[in-house]
Amino acid sequence: MHANWYERHVLPHFIDMACGMKAVRRLRQKVVPRAYGQVLEIGIGTGLNLKHYEKSSITRIVGLDPGLEMHHLAQKRVKKEGMQVELVGLSAEKIPFADAVFDTVVVTYTLCTIPDAVAALKEMHRVLKPGGKLLFCEHGLAPDAPVQRWQNRLSPVWSKFAGGCNLNRDIPAMLKEAGFKSDDMQTRYLPGPRFLTYNYWGSAVAE
């Protein structure tokens, strides 16, 4: 399906601004530099993570994202950072790579938009090498019942103009269902509306 005018010209800049806020940037800075070796970034979007990679630790970066309308912004950042990044315009439910290829999979503020996020996480599990790590930074379901009610109420409307973003994804439950275990997951509200700002970040390995 072809992207409409809003998806081509407005949405990429809206997402770039929302996902580039200071509090979000600080969480990226905690997670992304831990990537090493062969790296697959799921939902590379406009390339906001690129400046946070430790280039000396990386041998290859592949960026997977179906939103081709955002790739021109990613390409600008690739050029600015002087990096070699392979951009693949596909969704993560079927990752076009063999088993056990990547040392690190990075996923930041992306699980909210993938239609079948558990299927995508299972694919990330599949392409990771034994001992490889999934590095994640996501917003999702809040622990407080009143906030959850607002998330459930607003999510269908929000997703229509926010690129399919769901407000109420249960990140720990999805990781577990896909076969991942996280021993260092951290959570908290970031500044802003509570229905939007409950965040999870850390690393996970195959159970």
Side-chain angles (χ1 to χ4, degrees):
M1 188 170 69
H2 294 295
N4 60 32
W5 183 90
Y6 174 79
E7 291 169 337
R8 291 195 309 271
H9 300 289
V10 178
L11 183 61
H13 297 281
F14 170 76
I15 292 174
D16 196 58
M17 180 182 66
C19 292
M21 294 185 299
K22 182 184 285 188
V24 171
R25 192 164 63 245
R26 285 175 177 166
L27 293 189
R28 293 180 191 274
Q29 289 169 348
K30 292 176 182 289
V31 171
V32 177
R34 298 167 62 184
Y36 66 94
Q38 302 247 15
V39 177
L40 173 64
E41 182 173 336
I42 302 296
I44 193 168
T46 60
L48 286 169
N49 284 334
L50 292 175
K51 66 180 179 181
H52 300 305
Y53 284 106
E54 291 288 348
K55 297 181 181 66
S56 61
S57 301
I58 305 297
T59 57
R60 178 192 184 197
I61 299 180
V62 177
L64 191 75
D65 199 307
L68 291 173
E69 65 276 2
M70 291 192 283
H71 283 181
H72 72 282
L73 293 173
Q75 288 164 350
K76 287 182 180 179
R77 290 194 167 109
V78 167
K79 187 176 180 180
K80 180 180 178 181
E81 297 299 324
M83 303 171 75
Q84 294 291 323
V85 180
E86 179 185 345
L87 295 174
V88 180
L90 295 172
S91 186
E93 288 98 340
K94 291 187 177 180
I95 297 174
F97 294 98
D99 297 355
V101 172
F102 295 97
D103 300 289
T104 313
V105 173
V106 175
V107 58
T108 62
Y109 301 101
T110 296
L111 292 176
C112 60
T113 62
I114 299 174
D116 190 341
V118 172
L121 283 165
K122 288 178 179 178
E123 279 287 273
M124 298 177 215
H125 188 296
R126 179 184 65 78
V127 300
L128 272 172
K129 294 178 182 178
K133 285 194 174 184
L134 173 71
L135 301 177
F136 62 90
C137 184
E138 297 285 340
H139 74 92
L141 188 68
D144 305 296
V147 181
Q148 287 184 9
R149 285 195 290 272
W150 275 107
Q151 288 179 316
N152 293 333
R153 193 176 298 146
L154 294 173
S155 194
V157 178
W158 174 258
S159 67
K160 289 181 180 179
F161 73 88
C165 173
N166 292 273
L167 299 171
N168 53 358
R169 293 269 166 97
D170 188 337
I171 303 301
M174 293 194 306
L175 288 171
K176 184 176 182 180
E177 187 176 348
F180 284 108
K181 179 182 179 182
S182 176
D183 291 326
D184 65 357
M185 183 186 296
Q186 298 183 62
T187 61
R188 72 177 175 93
Y189 287 103
L190 299 184
R194 288 165 76 84
F195 69 89
L196 274 173
T197 59
Y198 194 73
N199 276 243
Y200 303 80
W201 68 95
S203 64
V205 296
E207 289 195 280

